[in-house]
Amino acid sequence: MSAGLFALALLFSLFSVACGSNSSDFDLDKCTPAETAITGKTFYWLGSSVTLGMESGDVAVADYIAARNGATCVKEAVSGTTLIDEPYKKIFASYDSYITRLKTTKAFDKSKKIDAFFCQISMNDAKDEFKDKRGAVTGTDVTEKESFDVKTTIGAMEYVVAYVRETWDSPVYFFSNARFDDTGERKSRDPKGSEYAVLVEAAYEVAEKWNSVGADVRIVDLFNDEEFNDISSEDYDFYMHDPVHPYKAGYLKWWTPAFEKILFEDFGSEVQG
């Protein structure tokens, strides 16, 4: 096969996968709501492209949880952004960090009671350019939100906990990506899986500190969940656009049930069929 024909075949293959993985079969209106322990609950979601659904038509876990369970999920998600309080600049636009958006967004009603706040552990913070800006968890005597260095990832994580505690007094769930690696089938060049793993571990350290002072911080760790990540190459290729971003099929068939399992256990229900 000539190079041109090979490239054409590869393009057709990728197009076929994308169309199938993002087909109308996985649209939100195809979801049948069930009565579960999170029906009627309100969840706020802060994140970047994975929370948004960059490769799935802006449909992601939060949207499927709402559609499948009759919950209210409000997303504040912008692709390319970081927990670190630095703007994300593109050629024609600039986008605010998690921290700036948390403080200024109109999406989150600060007077409303919510049942949980979800914060994505951004893979953008694990990129090479931010490796020297991880920061460290502060002592248990440091709890005022303005005390944290939001120019670091861990400082920003702590700020999110302090802000949510003060504003809504709800549980905070930090959630990770599915596993991606430095080599092999799930290789990601930047960020590398080994760098992202450091931030996932940091989220556990943040949770340990804050839970010791009376907060409620939990981790949805898809990255290290061996059972969750144990899927076939065929399923993986169908679910994922790249090692970081799922298609609609990936969110609906792979990621959402993992979140629901945790939420149903936390809020006291059986897993939806």
Side-chain angles (χ1 to χ4, degrees), residues 3-222:
L5 284 174
F6 177 78
L8 192 62
L10 179 61
L11 228 93
F12 179 77
S13 173
L14 292 172
F15 177 76
S16 299
V17 169
C19 287
S21 303
N22 274 338
S23 76
S24 60
D25 291 342
F26 307 110
D27 285 352
L28 292 172
D29 61 9
K30 300 292 174 58
C31 297
T32 303
E35 186 75 24
T36 72
I38 61 172
T39 300
K41 304 295 185 187
T42 298
F43 304 127
Y44 286 174
W45 300 72
L46 179 66
S48 52
S49 56
V50 167
T51 303
L52 176 67
M54 186 178 79
E55 299 296 344
S56 51
D58 292 353
V59 174
V61 169
D63 307 285
Y64 285 119
I65 284 176
R68 284 162 57 90
N69 297 280
T72 298
C73 290
V74 180
K75 293 193 304 188
E76 171 54 70
V78 178
S79 296
T81 54
T82 55
L83 274 153
I84 294 170
D85 193 20
E86 291 192 8
Y88 168 57
K89 293 182 172 63
K90 295 185 75 174
I91 296 174
F92 300 111
S94 179
Y95 301 97
D96 290 326
S97 70
Y98 283 29
I99 299 303
T100 299
R101 294 187 347 256
L102 175 61
K103 292 189 288 187
T104 63
T105 183
K106 298 291 193 294
F108 298 156
D109 185 344
K110 294 177 175 58
S111 66
K112 184 179 179 66
K113 180 187 181 302
I114 67 171
D115 297 284
F117 188 97
F118 287 83
C119 181
Q120 178 194 339
I121 305 170
S122 178
M123 60 279 167
N124 299 307
D125 286 70
K127 290 183 176 180
D128 289 344
E129 63 189 289
F130 297 119
K131 282 174 66 174
D132 62 344
K133 297 182 178 180
R134 288 176 181 153
V137 178
T138 58
T140 55
D141 59 324
V142 183
T143 57
E144 294 296 323
K145 66 178 187 295
E146 302 306 331
S147 302
F148 303 110
D149 182 4
V150 295
K151 296 298 183 182
T152 69
T153 300
I154 295 174
M157 286 182 182
E158 290 211 69
Y159 184 95
V160 168
V161 176
Y163 189 97
V164 171
R165 190 184 191 195
E166 179 183 292
T167 306
W168 296 287
D169 194 25
S170 75
V172 176
Y173 287 81
F174 286 106
F175 67 95
S176 75
N177 276 58
R179 196 191 75 239
F180 56 94
D181 302 317
D182 296 359
T183 59
E185 178 188 36
R186 304 184 187 189
K187 178 181 178 180
S188 174
R189 183 183 63 81
D190 187 22
K192 294 178 180 176
S194 58
E195 299 297 338
Y196 188 71
V198 173
L199 299 186
V200 176
E201 180 60 32
Y204 279 100
E205 295 174 16
V206 170
E208 182 179 9
K209 174 224 166 142
W210 281 91
N211 288 339
S212 75
V213 297
D216 187 351
V217 182
R218 312 175 191 187
I219 311 295
V220 180
D221 184 359
L222 304 184

Side-chain angles (χ1 to χ4, degrees), residues 215-264:
D216 187 351
V217 182
R218 312 175 191 187
I219 311 295
V220 180
D221 184 359
L222 304 184
F223 190 83
N224 291 301
D225 187 329
E226 292 185 8
E227 182 179 354
F228 170 81
N229 285 294
D230 185 20
I231 62 172
S232 68
S233 296
E234 291 77 13
D235 282 345
Y236 184 81
D237 290 342
F238 189 70
Y239 289 159
M240 299 295 287
H241 173 268
D242 57 56
V244 170
H245 301 98
Y247 293 118
K248 284 194 290 187
Y251 281 120
L252 176 60
K253 307 296 286 185
W254 190 25
W255 287 38
T256 297
F259 276 80
E260 287 177 337
K261 180 180 180 182
I262 291 169
L263 287 172
F264 295 163

